[in-house]
Amino acid sequence: MNDLVRQHTALSDTDLEWLHLLISEWQLLSDLSFADLVLWVPTRDGTRYVSVAQMRPNTGPTSHQDDMVGHLVPRGRRPLLDAALDEGRIVREGDPEWREEVPVRVESIPVCREGRVLGVIARNTNLLTVRTPSRLELTYLQSASDLAQMIAAGTFPFPGQQLDIDHLPRVGDGLIRLDADGVVQYASPNALSAYHRLGLATEIVGLHLGQVTAELAPSRAPVDEALVKLASGWAPRGAEVEAKDCVVQLRAIPLEPKGSRIGSLILLRDITEVRRRERELMTKDATIREIHHRVKNNLQTVAALLRLQARRMDSDRGRDALNEAVRRVGSIAIVHETLSQTLDESVEFDEIADRVLAMVAEISPGRVTGHRTGHFGVLEAEVATPLSMVLTEVLQNALEHGFGPGEQGTIEVGAVRTAAKGKEQGRLLVTVQDDGRGLPDDFEPKHTGNLGLQIVRTLVEGELGGEFDMLPAPVRGTRVVFDLPVSVEKRER
């Protein structure tokens, strides 16, 4: 819609925001009217109309099988649009139109803002299934007529409302029509069922909805005046009412078709199952975080025991081996510590890489400095845990074999993340490069190496499904490269 409005019309950005607010609300008008809605806006030169948005009803058959958005119509071809735009009133004159052997009643509703007509809504009703309307349908149509008059007067939608369209109650979920005093005139079957689940044992028609709702909502405090006003339809607001293991979402829409309040619509939906599932997920998330926290604590305990044992070792080789094990356990503990602070099974790996780099650099304080370039991004836990171990082993190997006693140097960890293309997975290319003494002439990374390199090969090629290689750096030192397939994590999408 933004592109169409800016390309073809002279509307300002504030006018466009008003149209967006209208579009966020007009599913309500479409469902109450049992009709398709098409928003037409006059072009910049005033000779044509361009359709910038379209809505089909959930409550009846459509009258537009094709997508109308982007169509241009010369002024004069549709007289009802011209009359609504020029006179600023709802136009219903004219006989039904026939579209593919389907009779369609067309009405035009001007969209006004601050006394100006921005465009016209064409309301198209499929008459093929018209029958004697029920009480529900009559209530829907009367409510639609009131909303249409409010749109023409520029009082609907309500300015300043930030609406989450996906979570709002809809017409079919449940509807109650109130009079000016907040007394129920009509309640749809779904609305009545929702109030029965809240604990209402009588018929709801004729009762003051605000008082009834406040009585059903358990509270030891005085009657919640805000809830009474909302359920009485005095202001365009929303709330949730919970009673007897039932949660009902309410939304009030005051009706002021002629400038004064004549009543209101209350849309409601039983969201008991939704809230129950949310609580279950919250409980599961808390449990998972607690598990990660306990695993982290247990790993730190194991590391502490190994460190204690290393201090008691007389053999230098045994002490070094235990210290290597401490760092391996510590790298896994870092991942679990990070997971214990998140709501999902994924982590921002840049922070983990920096902590692993700092942990390994403690082996030679002041001699070898390390830094990271690029970004690892968000990784799933099943990738982050082995990757942290791989990074620990490669860094530890570089410090131990790349630099002799007293030698100074640098280690750089680089990460390049590429997005998935088509059916191809995304990739993560990690390089660890030092400026130390380099590789021996007879070194073969695929077959030779200590326990640490064997662990790296096993994790990279076996568990992570990637590729691993060690080669001389371009100038001096050693360069370790591992290329891993990574999926696009949810938060990044």
Side-chain angles (χ1 to χ4, degrees), residues 135-137 139-140 175-178 184-189 205:
R135 178 76 187 279
L136 180 144
E137 291 169 333
T139 303
Y140 278 18
L175 179 141
I176 296 177
R177 173 91 185 210
L178 307 179
V184 178
Q185 293 180 313
Y186 175 79
S188 70
V205 174

Side-chain angles (χ1 to χ4, degrees), residues 24-25 59 79 166 175 232 253 282-283 287 300 329 363 407 413 419 457 474 481:
S24 70
E25 290 275 28
T59 53
D166 295 334
L175 179 141
S232 301
I253 303 172
M282 290 176 63
T283 302
T287 303
Q300 288 180 337
V329 173
I363 300 175
E407 292 183 351
V413 177
R457 281 196 293 268
V481 181

